Amino acid sequence: MIKGLQSMSDLFSKIDLEKGSLGGRPVENRYLSNLRGFFANEDAYQSCLEQDNALLYSVSSMTPAEGEGQLHLGLGVLYPGKVGDEYYMTKGHLHTKREAAEVYVGLKGVGYMLLEHEVSQESMLVSLAEGEVVYVPGYTAHRTINTGDMPLAYLGIYPWDAGHDYGAIAERNFLKVLVEREGQPVLLDRQ
Ligand code: F6R
Ligand code: MN
């Protein structure tokens, strides 16, 4: 059944970068304690956690309509900081529906997206900053990394039924790590 415009409640949404909320939707927070095992330096992770269970990022998302061809929107705000020399980052995931692609639009701040193809295992580091757009193809694990000194805010747009698979990443993590060396981000192989 094709619905008319009047039946859609979300033809317009406001982005609130202060609250991290999209269209007034709730904000889900991810703290340092939620990313146990994700950072390369376990000792650095433990000592950061003992000092402060810092807020790493928040996500606020909405599904204006469900069904084939519909889209889901997510606002992410990733805070600046490091665990040892590794920049704050999101958990990262593959989409449950592997062919589902995603578009990221940078709204504020500077950072990168680390992409890793599930089949070829190729990695790519792509800039994500205010005014930049990153296309994440299907079958590609993606993680956002803040290399700046202010929050990195971005909008992700993806098929409504893409789903999130965190399992594979939680088990073996990404093959590369982004660390600071002499003030600059450097991509290294995970040891
Ligand atoms: C949705 C998407 C983003 C992330 C957000 C948080 O498919 O890619 O909205 O969900 O950047 O990262 P994760 O989900 O990896 O904790
Ligand atoms: Mn995604």
Side-chain angles (χ1 to χ4, degrees), residues 30 57-59 72-76 90-93 95 102 104 113 142-144 154-156 158 162-164 166:
R30 299 277 180 268
Y57 61 99
S58 70
V59 182
H72 191 98
L73 311 172
L75 173 69
T90 59
K91 288 182 174 182
H93 59 268
H95 292 147
E102 180 162 1
Y104 273 66
M113 291 198 68
H142 44 289
R143 163 174 281 168
T144 313
Y154 52 93
L155 192 65
Y158 50 104
H164 295 93
Y166 293 97

Side-chain angles (χ1 to χ4, degrees), residues 17-161:
L17 288 183
E18 290 306 314
K19 291 188 185 141
S21 96
L22 177 62
R25 294 298 192 283
V27 177
E28 279 181 51
N29 291 324
R30 299 277 180 268
Y31 295 90
L32 191 56
S33 59
N34 301 128
L35 274 84
R36 181 172 293 282
F38 286 84
F39 290 93
N41 185 334
E42 183 58 35
D43 293 341
Y45 174 82
Q46 206 46 52
S47 73
C48 285
L49 192 57
E50 276 158 25
Q51 280 171 44
D52 179 26
N53 185 17
L55 175 62
L56 262 52
Y57 61 99
S58 70
V59 182
S60 177
S61 53
M62 59 188 286
T63 310
E66 296 187 355
E68 198 176 337
Q70 302 306 314
L71 299 171
H72 191 98
L73 311 172
L75 173 69
V77 179
L78 173 59
Y79 293 93
K82 282 182 291 204
V83 171
D85 54 11
E86 190 173 9
Y87 298 99
Y88 278 6
M89 61 194 186
T90 59
K91 288 182 174 182
H93 59 268
L94 283 150
H95 292 147
T96 312
K97 191 175 179 181
R98 291 293 198 264
E99 57 271 41
E102 180 162 1
V103 171
Y104 273 66
V105 181
L107 303 173
K108 192 179 158 193
V110 293
Y112 291 90
M113 291 198 68
L114 178 57
L115 307 181
E116 188 179 298
H117 196 270
E118 188 182 27
V119 180
S120 69
Q121 304 222 316
E122 287 162 275
S123 298
M124 193 170 281
L125 191 66
V126 185
S127 176
L128 177 68
E130 181 175 340
E132 296 181 347
V133 178
V134 177
Y135 187 87
V136 180
Y139 297 90
T140 304
H142 44 289
R143 163 174 281 168
T144 313
I145 304 169
N146 188 344
T147 55
D149 51 18
M150 64 157 82
L152 172 62
Y154 52 93
L155 192 65
I157 305 162
Y158 50 104
W160 79 284
D161 57 350

